[in-house]
Amino acid sequence: MAKHRIAVIDGDGIGPEVVAEVMRVLEAVAGPAGFEYETTFFPWGCRYYVEHGHTMPADGIEILSRYDAIFLGAVGDPRIAPEEVTGVGPVLAIRFGFDQYANIRPVKPLPGAPYPLARPTPDEIDFTVVREATEGIYVGLGGRFAPDDPQVAEIAAMRKIFGRSKELALQTGVYSEAGCRRVIERAFRLAEERDGKRLVTSATKANAMKHGMALWNDVFADVASKHPDVRSEWNNIDALSMRFVLKPESLDVVVAPNLFGDILTDLSAALLGGLGFAPSANLTDSHFPSMFEPCHGSAPDIAGKGIANPTAALLTLAMMLEHLGEDVAARAVEDGVREVVARGAVRTPDMGGSASTEDMGQAVAEAAVRLVECA
Ligand code: ATP
């Protein structure tokens, strides 16, 4: 019997509340689905910061490297730690530390969830965003300079307003050929595996970002030429954002550099009914663990009230189970969530109901166990 070792960082705000329901459902399906698991909780994030002055221990990455997967609730609480601290906290450290370059965010609306568009209908939308997660503008390169600093003299001379300013800030994006290639390649493979339109759309903006996005486009064209069975197209990020709202049914797999992908995936969370419905996985090709986290943050405004929607976290659990090779359990959890949301008897306040986080978790656990037993 397979035994999976799972590291859990439940984190801050609503993180522990939604993770408790993930654990409830995991425990319910494991036996009937025929696998064993072991979880270790790490209290990292803002609570840890208060005691230790940093959000995770120095050997945190090494500790996590011994696990098969990482499940993360949400890290961040502006009431406790400034965003600059948590922003570079566990999430980025783990993504970069384990080279989790592919952030996968499925967009398949759940009938019964609040849905913002008049058309198309929710069941006409089924696409996945593959966001590059280790490069681009998020690598943290740059700095703030006085305009007379010799390091930025050339830039200060470029335009009058630069030279006249008290300060110049540079935020440099890094795009490597191999980094672009592996994520674009993964998007094409995903399009081949999916029962979809076999279409990969590249989010780009080479007309304004003439270095990084030109490299991205060249690599995209090269990878596309090696996958003649998949159609490919590129869309400038501005036009693509409109398409996410006006014609989302035309999408299948969207591959995007880090910043564009970050923004597009919050837009796609809106198509799902809000952040409470959006799951995600951070995948690596290395022997290190991949990380699974709902797209939402710690939502301090609703934390501690027991009303957070655990749907995003539970769909994220389904992604983790699939990654661990537990396909029957993964399908049962996803279908269980869909069933509970469609039935509408148990709804958290973001769905217009008055059910608690725990009520939703309980209902999904029951549905998922029944589905595993029928499988
Ligand atoms: P971050 O900066 O960490 O991404 P954020 O402040 O941008 O966080 P969230 O913490 O995800 O965003 O929350 C934004 C809002 O969405 C919250 O204030 C909350 O009202 C709502 N929200 C987020 N997650 C959930 C959830 N699981 N259930 C219900 N509402 C949620």
Side-chain angles (χ1 to χ4, degrees), residues 1 24-37 326 328-330 332 365-375:
M1 192 184 270
R24 182 195 301 281
V25 174
L26 179 61
E27 190 185 340
V29 296
F35 68 88
E36 291 181 350
Y37 69 96
E326 301 300 343
V328 170
E366 283 163 20
V369 168
R370 185 171 34 75
L371 290 165
V372 171
E373 283 166 354
C374 296

Side-chain angles (χ1 to χ4, degrees), residues 219-242:
V219 176
F220 183 79
D222 187 44
V223 175
S225 73
K226 294 180 174 127
H227 292 269
D229 53 330
V230 176
R231 288 180 299 130
S232 62
E233 59 178 2
W234 59 265
N235 231 186
N236 279 334
I237 183 63
D238 38 357
L240 183 57
S241 307
M242 282 180 63

Side-chain angles (χ1 to χ4, degrees), residues 28-374:
V29 296
F35 68 88
E36 291 181 350
Y37 69 96
E38 186 186 302
T39 48
T40 311
F41 276 66
F42 295 98
W44 301 343
C46 291
R47 282 178 289 157
Y48 193 88
Y49 174 79
V50 171
E51 274 181 48
H52 301 90
H54 34 89
T55 52
M56 67 190 284
D59 59 350
I61 294 296
E62 198 199 318
I63 293 170
L64 293 176
S65 69
R66 298 174 211 137
Y67 290 83
D68 299 320
I70 303 162
F71 195 97
L72 186 134
V75 172
D77 187 339
R79 293 167 305 185
I80 303 180
E83 206 164 341
E84 319 72 273
V85 171
T86 51
V88 293
V91 180
L92 284 190
I94 295 168
R95 274 190 198 155
F96 291 169
F98 295 143
D99 213 14
Q100 294 167 343
Y101 68 89
N103 181 233
I104 311 282
R105 299 196 179 185
V107 188
K108 193 173 165 190
L110 288 80
Y115 177 71
L117 302 181
R119 57 143 302 278
T121 56
D123 57 2
E124 288 175 272
I125 300 178
D126 181 1
F127 67 94
T128 293
V129 180
V130 180
R131 165 189 167 193
E132 202 294 318
T134 53
E135 299 200 339
I137 209 129
Y138 291 3
V139 295
L141 267 189
R144 292 170 66 164
F145 305 86
D148 58 357
D149 187 318
Q151 290 184 80
V152 292
E154 214 176 297
I155 293 158
M158 271 170 77
R159 297 205 190 138
K160 253 192 209 154
I161 191 148
F162 294 169
R164 279 211 309 265
S165 301
K166 286 198 201 92
E167 244 189 320
L168 290 180
L170 299 188
Q171 189 80 49
T172 306
V174 177
Y175 307 85
S176 72
E177 182 272 327
C180 297
R181 185 173 296 280
R182 64 183 179 174
V183 74
I184 292 170
E185 181 64 45
R186 191 177 265 271
F188 274 86
R189 272 191 274 130
L190 181 64
E192 283 165 347
E193 284 159 20
R194 274 167 56 90
D195 193 14
K197 301 180 179 67
R198 294 171 94 82
L199 168 70
V200 178
T201 304
S202 165
T204 183
K205 188 70 186 172
N207 54 356
M209 296 166 69
K210 60 185 182 178
H211 307 299
M213 287 302 90
L215 174 60
W216 172 274
N217 285 3
D218 286 350
V219 176
F220 183 79
D222 187 44
V223 175
S225 73
K226 294 180 174 127
H227 292 269
D229 53 330
V230 176
R231 288 180 299 130
S232 62
E233 59 178 2
W234 59 265
N235 231 186
N236 279 334
I237 183 63
D238 38 357
L240 183 57
S241 307
M242 282 180 63
R243 188 169 158 196
F244 263 51
V245 176
L246 297 177
K247 234 177 168 332
E249 73 279 22
S250 66
L251 301 164
D252 183 19
V253 175
V254 176
V255 63
N258 210 342
L259 173 65
F260 297 165
D262 191 5
I263 298 167
L264 281 178
T265 48
D266 264 28
L267 183 53
S268 49
L271 295 177
L272 292 169
L275 283 164
F277 295 89
S280 90
N282 299 285
L283 304 183
T284 175
D285 284 343
S286 72
H287 63 282
F288 292 123
S290 291
M291 177 166 66
F292 299 82
E293 54 169 333
C295 293
H296 60 73
S298 56
D301 56 330
I302 55 166
K305 297 182 179 160
I307 55 167
N309 185 347
T311 297
L314 293 169
L315 292 173
T316 302
L317 168 65
M319 294 179 83
M320 182 176 79
L321 289 169
E322 189 185 346
H323 178 78
L324 292 170
E326 301 300 343
D327 292 350
V328 170
R331 175 48 57 106
V333 172
E334 184 185 336
D335 290 351
V337 171
R338 290 189 163 267
E339 188 184 301
V340 169
V341 173
R343 233 191 292 137
V346 183
R347 293 172 162 187
T348 43
D350 60 319
M351 285 190 266
S354 57
S356 67
T357 312
E358 198 180 322
D359 295 336
M360 274 288 284
Q362 189 65 49
V364 172
E366 283 163 20
V369 168
R370 185 171 34 75
L371 290 165
V372 171
E373 283 166 354
C374 296

